[in-house]
Amino acid sequence: MTGKRTYDDPCGIARGLDLVGERWALLVVRELLLGPKRFSGLHRGLPALSQNVLTHRLRELEEAGVVRRRRLGPPAVSWAYELTAWGRELEPVLFHLGRWGSRAPMTTDGELSTDALIIAMRTAFDGEAAGEFRAQVELWLGDDRFHAGVADGRVDLSRVALGRTGPDTGGNGDGPNAVPGTAVLRMTGPATLRALVFGGRDLDDALRAGDLDLLGDRRVAERFLALFPRPTPAMA
């Protein structure tokens, strides 16, 4: 890490910022929290970041022991980046920072990346509102799929491995064959999910527009989407 800027301060906060405090570094970590990504996937999640700067940040994070590069096995034999065990320890730091920052005024109309949206949902989840609610929900956002398990006032949101099928929902909507507690929401992309969760968009409006296809228990889907309230803005 020769030539890298430093605060020259022995405090643990300053030493941590020496490693991940450069512009874009923590957002690169954010994009890897839900699993490994190829360089192209990282760049799609951070479209405002040039490829040259992304390459530089990845190199710095590798040198710091936060990120590592590994070869993925078949069927897609290629190189990808993933967080090391030490890098994964940044997860609660980013969640707390996200929860804190979400109370600041919105200063952009840009879209959230898919992974950023899933992480925002994890930080916004209201366990008290969930109560005894239990559900298994799959979110299909274009080519990305995520599984959400709700139980005991907690949510587990994780990426679905390629090749894995969704839960047996037993049919569309809330018909007689629907399996209670399960739902699959197939959407055109993350913008639809963001509008449903944080933008107050009506479920029927998304269905009529063709932005959403709902399989399984509709009541589960409606209850699930209501568990992520917008944070209360910080006092001015």
Side-chain angles (χ1 to χ4, degrees):
M1 299 178 67
T2 304
K4 182 176 173 63
R5 291 180 296 180
T6 175
Y7 288 101
D8 193 26
D9 186 322
C11 167
I13 297 172
R15 286 185 286 151
L17 288 174
D18 281 343
L19 300 177
V20 296
E22 292 285 353
R23 181 171 167 80
W24 295 107
L26 279 179
L27 295 186
V28 172
V29 174
R30 179 198 73 189
E31 290 297 308
L32 294 173
L33 282 178
L34 299 176
K37 282 189 175 182
R38 301 178 184 88
F39 184 92
S40 58
L42 282 168
H43 193 248
R44 279 196 301 272
L46 299 166
L49 176 60
S50 73
Q51 292 191 13
N52 285 340
V53 175
L54 176 56
T55 298
H56 192 59
R57 290 293 170 268
L58 285 168
R59 185 183 304 120
E60 289 178 337
L61 291 169
E62 280 189 271
E63 291 175 353
V66 175
V67 167
R68 64 175 164 234
R69 189 167 175 256
R70 72 174 176 90
R71 193 173 183 84
L72 298 177
V77 179
S78 61
W79 289 94
Y81 294 90
E82 67 181 0
L83 295 176
T84 64
W86 193 41
R88 289 208 63 81
E89 291 181 26
L90 284 166
E91 182 171 328
V93 176
L94 285 177
F95 284 157
H96 283 293
L97 181 60
R99 188 176 295 114
W100 182 80
S102 65
R103 299 177 64 204
M106 186 70 71
T107 58
T108 176
D109 58 0
E111 289 297 336
L112 285 172
S113 74
T114 301
D115 287 42
L117 175 59
I118 297 300
I119 291 169
M121 291 173 64
R122 287 177 65 174
T123 63
F125 178 74
D126 188 343
E128 290 188 8
E132 300 300 316
F133 177 61
R134 302 177 68 90
Q136 300 292 323
V137 178
E138 294 222 351
L139 306 169
W140 297 19
L141 310 175
D143 294 331
D144 291 300
R145 299 183 184 182
F146 296 89
H147 174 262
V150 181
D152 302 320
R154 297 182 180 182
V155 66
D156 174 45
L157 274 160
S158 57
R159 193 184 303 278
V160 174
L162 292 177
R164 210 201 83 185
T165 58
D168 180 9
T169 61
N172 296 318
D174 53 1
N177 296 321
V179 177
T182 65
V184 175
L185 285 76
R186 299 195 300 208
M187 288 161 276
T188 50
T192 299
L193 179 58
R194 184 185 183 188
L196 288 168
V197 172
F198 296 126
R201 187 178 185 185
D202 183 71
L203 193 67
D204 286 324
D205 178 69
L207 288 167
R208 284 193 300 268
D211 293 332
L212 169 67
D213 184 19
L214 171 62
L215 305 176
D217 193 327
R218 179 192 172 105
R219 291 163 296 185
V220 166
E222 291 176 329
R223 178 78 183 276
F224 173 78
L225 293 171
L227 295 179
F228 308 92
R230 294 181 65 89
T232 302
M235 297 294 292

